[in-house]
Amino acid sequence: IYEPIITMLNKLDFEVQKGSAAKLRQRISEELFQLGWSDKTKIDSENDITITSMKGNIGLCMQTGNVSRFYADILKLQFMYIKDKVTAAIYIIPTKTASQKMGSNIAYFERFVEELNLYKHIITIPIFIIGIE
């Protein structure tokens, strides 16, 4: 399920630069929709908390914003996993180099992977992580 996403990201014509995080997120969201992924999806019917997208039983989060937001993403995905709403997840996040070009304190792949390993006994959902440059 991740191969079409990787192909799309490799073909995406986009220049990472200062202040481009929101535009990048929008472009990728549009392309994901073309690949059959949903719009924002509520994690539970009782509230308005959402993840970026779903396709079948796979949840997808994308983070191009502040580094503190990826903790919320991890918790949302884990919640959905525990509630049997997803069986796995895909997480799209800029690499450190790309995040530094976009601005300060932007979430990045290397830190996400390091911290996910730190919480491996707490966050148990299988996650395929894609770093984008």
Side-chain angles (χ1 to χ4, degrees):
I1 197 163
Y2 62 82
E3 288 177 6
I5 295 172
I6 292 173
T7 300
M8 173 270 293
L9 291 170
N10 284 328
K11 292 180 180 179
L12 190 68
D13 184 25
F14 189 87
E15 184 178 344
V16 174
Q17 58 189 2
K18 187 169 179 70
S20 67
K23 284 185 178 182
L24 177 61
R25 181 179 182 82
Q26 181 62 36
R27 283 286 310 281
I28 294 172
S29 293
E30 291 168 358
E31 295 293 327
L32 287 169
F33 189 75
Q34 294 298 317
L35 293 174
W37 289 83
S38 72
D39 287 329
K40 289 182 181 177
T41 302
K42 289 183 178 184
I43 68 166
D44 187 69
S45 62
E46 301 295 318
N47 58 58
D48 290 330
I49 299 171
T50 62
I51 61 170
T52 304
S53 188
M54 288 271 305
K55 187 172 186 180
N57 59 355
I58 306 296
L60 185 144
C61 283
M62 174 175 31
Q63 190 54 254
T64 61
N66 190 287
V67 70
S68 65
R69 294 301 306 159
F70 75 59
Y71 297 105
D73 292 337
I74 295 170
L75 288 176
K76 291 185 280 187
L77 292 169
Q78 182 66 27
F79 172 82
M80 293 180 80
Y81 183 64
I82 290 169
K83 296 291 184 173
D84 294 323
K85 295 180 179 197
V86 298
T87 57
I90 296 174
Y91 200 89
I92 302 172
I93 187 168
T95 63
K96 185 175 184 178
T97 301
S99 75
Q100 289 172 337
K101 288 179 185 177
M102 287 191 269
S104 62
N105 212 28
I106 303 288
Y108 60 91
F109 176 87
E110 294 83 353
R111 181 171 175 182
F112 183 81
V113 170
E114 181 180 316
E115 296 201 18
L116 198 55
N117 283 329
L118 183 66
Y119 302 119
K120 67 183 176 186
H121 296 292
I122 300 165
I123 307 301
T124 57
I125 181 172
I127 302 177
F128 184 81
I129 309 162
I130 303 171
I132 53 175
E133 287 256 319

